[in-house]
Amino acid sequence: MLLNKKVCMALTCLLLGVTVFAQTDSATRLMLEKADDYYTKGQALQAFAAVNNALRINETSYQNNGIPANVLIIARPIYRQVLKTVLEEKNYDLFDEVNARIEKFKDLADDDIKRQIKKIETQYAADIQAAREEAAKAARAQEREEDRRSNELLIQSMTDESRKNNDVMIRTMTNTLNESFDKQAELQERQFSETQKSNHTVLIAILVVCGILVIVFIIVILNIVTASRANARQQAQFEATLKLVAGMQQANNQLLLGGVTDLYGDGVLKSAGSSRWGVDALPAPEMTDSEKAELKELAIACEDKGAKIDQISRRKNNSKNVSELVFKLAQNLGLNQNTAMVYFCAAMVYDIGFLSMPEVILNAENLTDDQLNQLRGHLSNCEKSFEFVPEKYRQIFIDAAKYHNENMDGTGYPSGLKDDDIPQIARLIHVAESYNALISRRSYRAIRDKESAIEEMKAQPGLYDPAVVAVLDAIV
């Protein structure tokens, strides 16, 4: 019963760290996903390099404020695997590198990592002691051999006459000396044997402790596998529901066939920041055939670019899942059909900045400071990426790309906007992206079911628009 409580506590700690994953900036998130991908493939050293990049991006912040839970959730199993490699291969140079990182970022060292470090230090000390004992044993053997040779040389130096007269005395002296040397060697061997027995006792104790840890680890893995299977079924049900709802909406509303309301009357559709959502929204006017074709072409272009963004950022179906959820949220918040459709298109390409990043940066294991700044700047340099969007819709796409990491309490990135200053489209994507991340499969944590994911988001009104989260709770 006590063991189960400990396992539950460990899983709870992992789950509490998952929400922070949705709050990290895109550069850190990309490095964490690369580290997770390497770790899943069993490439521990590459994962170690990638997660150290994530630490380096935020080095000053982490040293002052502590490492966020999402980074710890990914970094700790990678560090454990690297320490396991050190233990198996006795690679003490790599051990020095790990120790240097842990000394710099002390939050990395949980109890398991500390135990691994202690085990390696014990092994290292044992190796040094064994080497010393072997050297001492060889030195003693060499010393005895030299003594024997000295005695032989002493005997040989005697003259034949002296040897004959003192033969009995010489043999007696030689036997006495040999017996003395043998007794001394026997005593030293006995002392060495007793030391070895003591070391064996310590080794047995260590093996028992390791056996207990292995059993605990197996139990944790079994629980994680069980939770993963359950959530996989829930995810399949969720996707089936999305398809059903999308089909119903297509039949009733004919997606891509509505007009877009001019929210400000100046001919350019903008992403309003009002918390009233659809209260003041005008009904969707009828669109001309050319406007319908234009919006349909925009949706097709966004779908193509969204697939490329998912491929380069290694997030399978992310643009599809986020955009469909943004569309449903917009409609249920009372926005008209045309505005919801434009939001749907913008949500497919909100991370378009990744397409302008050189592959050498996205695939690099160790980034320079200039490369890190270039990666983080993909959010603010997005206007040119939306030249394919008609001018009357373009501001919504820019708002989606620049402000989807802003928080309601002003703690977000990059501009620190808060409340109604945050565009509607950015607030919708922030909720949809975070929810999608919480229920997605990750190798380093259990999958959240939709109820616990929404409860987690409700518990943080400073991050998400409560009105959007309430609608999310009603429709998923």
Side-chain angles (χ1 to χ4, degrees):
M1 179 63 72
L2 180 58
L3 182 60
N4 288 336
K5 288 183 178 179
K6 290 182 177 179
V7 172
C8 291
M9 290 178 64
L11 289 175
T12 302
C13 291
L14 287 176
L15 294 177
L16 288 175
V18 172
T19 303
V20 184
F21 179 80
Q23 304 167 24
T24 57
D25 63 83
S26 297
T28 303
R29 185 168 68 245
L30 182 63
M31 290 298 101
L32 294 179
E33 289 173 347
K34 286 180 65 176
D36 176 53
D37 186 53
Y38 282 130
Y39 177 74
T40 303
K41 295 177 180 177
Q43 299 173 343
L45 294 182
Q46 290 87 338
F48 180 67
V51 81
N52 284 337
N53 278 336
L55 294 172
R56 183 181 166 199
I57 290 172
N58 304 278
E59 181 171 323
T60 302
S61 175
Y62 290 174
Q63 288 179 333
N64 293 335
N65 305 316
I67 302 176
N70 66 311
V71 181
L72 290 177
I73 291 171
I74 301 174
R76 282 174 174 167
I78 293 173
Y79 268 65
R80 292 189 194 103
Q81 185 61 39
V82 172
L83 287 172
K84 181 180 178 182
T85 301
V86 169
L87 187 64
E88 293 174 348
E89 300 178 359
K90 297 186 178 181
N91 188 345
Y92 298 118
D93 290 338
L94 179 58
F95 181 54
D96 290 340
E97 183 179 351
V98 174
N99 264 338
R101 284 290 177 182
I102 292 177
E103 181 65 24
K104 201 168 192 178
F105 304 100
K106 299 184 183 300
D107 293 347
L108 288 170
D110 60 5
D111 291 339
D112 288 339
I113 291 177
K114 290 178 180 178
R115 282 193 290 269
Q116 282 184 288
I117 291 175
K118 187 65 177 177
K119 185 187 298 183
I120 294 172
E121 290 174 345
T122 301
Q123 176 181 277
Y124 182 55
D127 289 344
I128 292 176
Q129 181 63 27
R132 288 176 178 173
E133 291 173 351
E134 188 66 24
K137 184 177 179 181
R140 289 194 298 271
Q142 184 177 359
E143 183 180 354
R144 290 197 300 272
E145 183 63 22
E146 290 176 353
D147 288 340
R148 291 180 187 275
R149 289 179 181 177
S150 297
N151 288 333
E152 291 175 358
L153 291 174
L154 178 63
I155 294 172
Q156 291 174 2
S157 66
M158 294 180 179
T159 62
D160 293 338
E161 184 177 354
S162 297
R163 189 181 301 116
K164 291 178 181 178
N165 294 332
N166 299 292
D167 184 68
V168 175
M169 183 180 67
I170 291 174
R171 284 198 300 270
T172 303
M173 182 179 66
T174 301
N175 291 335
T176 302
L177 289 173
N178 288 337
E179 289 175 1
S180 175
F181 292 144
D182 290 338
K183 288 181 179 179
Q184 183 179 3
E186 182 180 357
L187 177 60
Q188 291 173 343
E189 291 294 334
R190 187 182 301 114
Q191 291 175 344
F192 179 78
S193 177
E194 291 175 355
T195 302
Q196 287 293 91
K197 289 181 180 179
S198 176
N199 290 339
H200 288 162
T201 302
V202 174
L203 179 60
I204 291 173
I206 292 174
L207 290 176
V208 170
V209 173
C210 290
I212 295 174
L213 292 177
V214 169
I215 293 173
V216 172
F217 179 78
I218 291 173
I219 294 174
V220 171
I221 291 298
L222 289 175
N223 280 306
I224 291 175
V225 169
T226 301
S228 298
R229 290 176 178 174
N231 282 280
R233 290 193 295 270
Q234 293 175 350
Q235 178 68 7
Q237 294 173 355
F238 175 76
E239 292 175 355
T241 302
L242 280 180
K243 291 179 180 179
L244 178 61
V245 172
M248 293 171 62
Q249 290 170 340
Q250 186 175 18
N252 294 330
N253 302 317
Q254 295 188 354
L255 299 181
L256 302 175
L257 299 181
V260 178
T261 298
D262 180 356
L263 297 180
Y264 295 101
D266 56 5
V268 178
L269 183 64
K270 298 182 179 179
S271 179
S274 172
S275 295
R276 295 171 60 83
W277 293 101
V279 174
D280 299 324
L282 299 176
E286 183 66 26
M287 296 180 72
T288 64
D289 290 341
S290 61
E291 288 175 330
K292 293 176 183 178
E294 178 183 58
L295 191 55
K296 186 172 183 178
E297 290 177 2
L298 176 60
I300 294 172
C302 290
E303 183 179 5
D304 179 64
K305 291 184 181 294
K308 293 178 180 178
I309 294 169
D310 290 349
Q311 182 178 8
I312 199 170
S313 62
R314 300 179 183 177
R315 295 175 296 178
K316 185 176 181 181
N317 294 329
N318 180 73
S319 64
K320 174 180 178 293
N321 295 336
V322 172
S323 60
E324 288 181 354
L325 191 52
V326 165
F327 179 80
K328 291 177 62 179
L329 289 170
Q331 284 201 319
N332 282 274
L333 282 163
L335 300 181
N336 64 53
Q337 170 74 20
N338 305 326
T339 301
M341 190 59 219
V342 176
Y343 283 7
F344 171 80
C345 294
M348 281 192 284
V349 292
Y350 70 94
D351 257 341
I352 198 170
F354 279 125
L355 297 181
S356 63
M357 291 293 100
E359 289 188 13
V360 65
I361 294 180
L362 293 172
N363 296 327
E365 294 183 4
N366 294 293
L367 299 175
T368 65
D369 292 337
D370 290 340
Q371 289 174 328
L372 290 173
N373 292 333
Q374 188 176 356
L375 183 60
R376 298 191 68 177
H378 86 283
L379 291 175
S380 56
N381 300 322
C382 60
E383 285 84 353
K384 292 184 179 180
S385 300
F386 291 124
E387 291 180 351
F388 71 96
V389 179
E391 185 175 355
K392 60 184 176 181
Y393 307 138
R394 193 172 299 163
Q395 186 59 48
I396 284 182
F397 283 72
I398 293 173
D399 288 345
K402 292 183 67 173
Y403 303 121
H404 66 269
N405 284 324
E406 300 288 352
N407 296 328
M408 294 297 288
D409 59 6
T411 61
Y413 177 89
S415 301
L417 301 180
K418 62 187 300 185
D419 297 330
D420 288 351
D421 291 334
I422 305 173
Q424 287 182 347
I425 181 61
R427 280 182 274 164
L428 290 172
I429 292 176
H430 194 24
V431 170
E433 181 188 39
S434 297
Y435 177 79
N436 186 55
L438 286 170
I439 64 172
S440 295
R441 183 180 301 277
R442 297 285 173 188
S443 61
Y444 50 82
R445 61 169 170 82
I447 305 170
R448 290 275 185 137
D449 58 73
K450 63 180 182 180
E451 290 82 5
S452 62
I454 292 175
E455 288 302 318
E456 196 70 42
M457 297 175 72
K458 284 183 176 180
Q460 301 186 70
L463 303 184
Y464 309 106
D465 188 328
V468 180
V469 176
V471 171
L472 176 67
D473 188 20
I475 66 176
V476 297

